Amino acid sequence: MWRVIAFPVARARHEPFTRSMFYHTNDMMTTSKRDAEDDTMSGRPCGVGQAREVLALVPAIRHWMVGRVERAGAELDLSFRQYAALRAIREGAISPGDLARRWSVTPAVITGIVDRLERRGLVRREVDPRDRRRQLLALTGAGIAASDGIERLLARDLTAQLAAATLEEQIALDRALALLRRTFAALEERAAEEGASARSSRDPSIIRVTGRGCAGGPTRSEDSAAGGTGGKKTTRHRVQGVDPMEQTTQTARDETEAPANPYGGEVGQPLPVVELDVSDPDFMANAYETYAELRDEGPVALVRFSGPRDEAAEESPRAAFFRRESYFVTRYDDVVAALLDPRFSSDFQAQLTPEQRAQAPETPEEFRLLAHSIISLDPPDHTRIRKLVQPSFTGSGMEKMRGSIQRTIDQLLDRAEEEAAARGEEAPNRRMNLVRQLAYPFPVTVISDMLGIPREDREQIRHWTENLLIVDNRRDKAMAEEVRQGLLDFTAYLTDLFKRKRREPGDDMISRMLQIEEGGDVLTEEEVLATVFLMYLAGHVTTVNLVGSAVVALLTHPEQLAKLKADPSLTKNAVEETLRYWGPVDFVGRRTAIESLEIAGTPIPKGGQMTAGLASANHDPEKFANPDAYDITRPDANRHVAFGRGIHVCLGAPLARIEGQIALDTLFRRYPDLRLAVPEEELRWSGSFLRGFREVPLLF
């Protein structure tokens, strides 16, 4: 009896019923009582009201099943979707393509599910004896045992609950179930006659989640503090996928153009679009659960980054710049492969015709100078510029700067102590805002030293760069006028400084860039200017976020901090683990496919944009054991992709590592009683796709 109740959610022949539940539940639940009353008042049988009551049961059944299956499958890390796949495979010979068509999803989704089940020894692939080009899926003994074990738990729970029913209630339930079986058999027969069964089925395990709640039941954890750090008490981020029912017309148009299914047959539907609202203050707090969802669904997701819904933001170049859909790569091996693939261009206009360039969205003003930097160029220009700039960022060169970097951080901490003393505070209860007093000014000072910025100009430089580094999607059409003017003023200042450096060169990076020549290659003034901007923007943000995140990670994982204090040589690996655990940048994008290609079986059309999920890759359980744990002794922590890979790997990575190591070593050596001044739950991420804390109040 329990199977009749539970398994319509997981069996294909009942999926029309499932689909109705998913997308009409709210309307049904709010109108069912009214409809029943209307039927009674009119003298008609309560057919409509009863039908709606039946449909309204499905969310509750599925909600219970999802939670119970995931709890039961915790030891195997078996999700509800994976369990639904086990059920479908067990029912008969089925290929990955069959399952993709049955659930109306792309093969990439099924690939992810089957790959994980196969790696866990629950599923195996076999050759179809009737068609050797076709693969069939079969459960292993372990897969059958896992499925049986979960079903026994589900049956036990239902049986225990139904045991309290009276004999009359059990008889009534038997009759009701028999009626439901006949009803859905008739509905299925009619749907088959109309040829609509395949089109109307939907993946039974998709939960459509919006910012206002979950139509298919709550997320895994509903009791976290909103906007927390995401380390221990996070909720699953609200991922909003496009409603498949709203895509019916478009799907019909697209079916003839759908890419071939690598498992045989046709793809039932293009990748659904997942909307990631990076302006949501809770986005960063819940991002890792979002990435886990995307990884489970497949190696590639189609995403659209969104922000506030106001007219000014919608019409701004910044909004248009980020609004394009992008193929979001979720898994470690695929992220590395995509970053190394020369078929992706970093110059988003390189493949455009003159007409397309004229119609392309305007580049936000704060990014225009970066369009001439190495992060936005392809070879041979990228190769030429990197060859000329790279010598200033070698590991050995950064090691030589340790002395000056140490002096900088000592001076900043001395100042923090003086300010605390002026307030009448004493150790170990002095107050310090880590971001404002140390993490922020620290890299600005180091970069200014490297570039050769005169000390008398640095206060003004700091003012300009502070405005440049504000990552806020809520600006007006392009940027605040103050920031615009700051860009112009900063550019004018640097242009004048370049003239002085040419006349009187010093032992600094700007002087070297203006004079360097190798094999006839030189840097133009525009390229030097873009490199300086890149150092202040990318180099600064990386270190600010790294220092803040590392301190918070250690203070909120006291067992790891104890290891570091007992063995300071772990500082280097602590920095690497922080880069893996809470990397400064969650994803990098705007890589354009210069030809049609595939990533892990997912077709990417020519001109399609790829986004590499760095944070998702760094938490991929197939690469890192227990990836959501912060472990400064992790032996492979340095295999992270926080700085990217390939020709566009972060130029300033050696500098950021040195700065992070010196900051951690100095802070915990000088202040052994260093601790947070507020509860962990009160810390907030700064927002956007850059991972860093807005403020980190400390006591020292």
Side-chain angles (χ1 to χ4, degrees), residues 24-35 52 56:
H24 298 295
T25 297
N26 292 336
D27 290 341
M28 283 187 267
M29 294 185 71
T30 56
T31 60
S32 59
K33 182 177 180 181
R34 183 183 66 243
D35 288 340
R52 293 185 184 277

Side-chain angles (χ1 to χ4, degrees), residues 97-395:
D98 294 335
L99 195 53
R101 287 190 296 277
R102 177 182 293 187
W103 287 356
S104 291
V105 297
T106 60
V109 174
I110 303 304
T111 298
I113 296 171
V114 173
D115 283 352
R116 288 175 181 270
L117 292 174
E118 189 175 35
R119 282 193 291 268
R120 295 187 177 104
L122 304 179
V123 167
R124 65 176 180 270
R125 289 180 169 91
E126 300 176 343
V127 176
D128 187 343
R130 295 169 299 177
D131 182 357
R132 300 192 64 82
R133 296 171 301 176
R134 186 169 180 258
Q135 285 185 333
L136 295 179
L137 301 174
L139 297 191
T140 64
I144 294 172
S147 177
D148 286 346
I150 290 176
E151 290 173 16
R152 281 195 296 271
L153 287 173
L154 293 172
R156 185 187 65 191
D157 287 0
L158 277 174
T159 301
Q161 193 65 33
L162 293 172
T166 64
L167 179 61
E168 290 78 6
E169 288 173 331
Q170 291 183 15
I171 293 172
L173 179 58
D174 284 338
R175 290 174 177 171
L177 292 175
L179 175 60
L180 286 174
R181 283 194 292 272
R182 293 196 304 272
T183 299
F184 286 110
L187 287 172
E188 180 185 19
E189 182 178 352
R190 187 176 68 181
E193 290 173 355
E194 295 173 353
S197 179
R199 290 193 300 274
S200 63
S201 63
R202 286 293 181 265
D203 178 353
S205 63
I206 289 177
I207 303 178
R208 183 170 187 266
V209 190
T210 68
R212 295 181 298 275
C214 174
T219 54
R220 287 184 179 177
S221 171
E222 295 291 347
D223 59 353
S224 73
T229 61
K232 298 177 182 177
K233 300 182 179 180
T234 58
T235 57
R236 188 176 294 277
H237 180 66
R238 308 304 194 189
V239 180
Q240 183 168 349
V242 175
D243 189 335
M245 294 192 68
E246 296 171 0
Q247 289 187 315
T248 303
T249 303
Q250 182 63 44
T251 300
R253 290 197 301 267
D254 291 343
E255 281 179 346
T256 58
E257 304 173 2
N261 184 341
Y263 300 110
E266 294 179 354
V267 176
Q269 193 169 286
L271 283 174
V273 179
V274 177
E275 189 169 297
L276 301 182
D277 186 356
V278 295
S279 70
D280 184 340
D282 292 338
F283 174 79
M284 275 295 172
N286 304 318
Y288 288 112
E289 295 215 19
T290 300
Y291 303 146
E293 281 186 344
L294 296 179
R295 279 197 309 273
D296 285 344
E297 291 181 6
V300 181
L302 188 61
V303 304
R304 181 189 300 120
F305 299 102
S306 64
R309 301 296 184 186
D310 62 79
E311 292 183 5
E314 287 294 315
E315 296 301 322
S316 71
R318 170 186 283 264
F321 190 72
F322 286 109
R323 200 159 43 210
R324 284 192 62 184
E325 293 169 4
S326 181
Y327 292 88
F328 190 97
V329 187
T330 64
R331 299 175 185 169
Y332 183 92
D333 289 342
D334 300 319
V335 165
V336 172
L339 291 173
L340 295 175
D341 196 326
R343 295 174 296 176
F344 285 111
S345 169
S346 293
D347 183 355
F348 78 101
Q349 290 192 341
Q351 307 303 313
L352 300 182
T353 65
E355 294 76 16
Q356 289 172 325
R357 287 195 187 97
Q359 297 174 1
E362 180 185 0
T363 302
E365 187 166 340
E366 65 266 47
F367 296 154
R368 288 180 191 169
L369 278 168
L370 295 181
H372 300 282
S373 73
I374 57 175
I375 64 172
S376 302
L377 296 175
D378 297 327
D381 286 336
H382 175 275
T383 306
R384 176 180 58 83
I385 296 176
R386 183 132 191 162
K387 175 183 66 175
L388 297 172
V389 175
Q390 183 74 51
S392 297
F393 290 94
T394 61

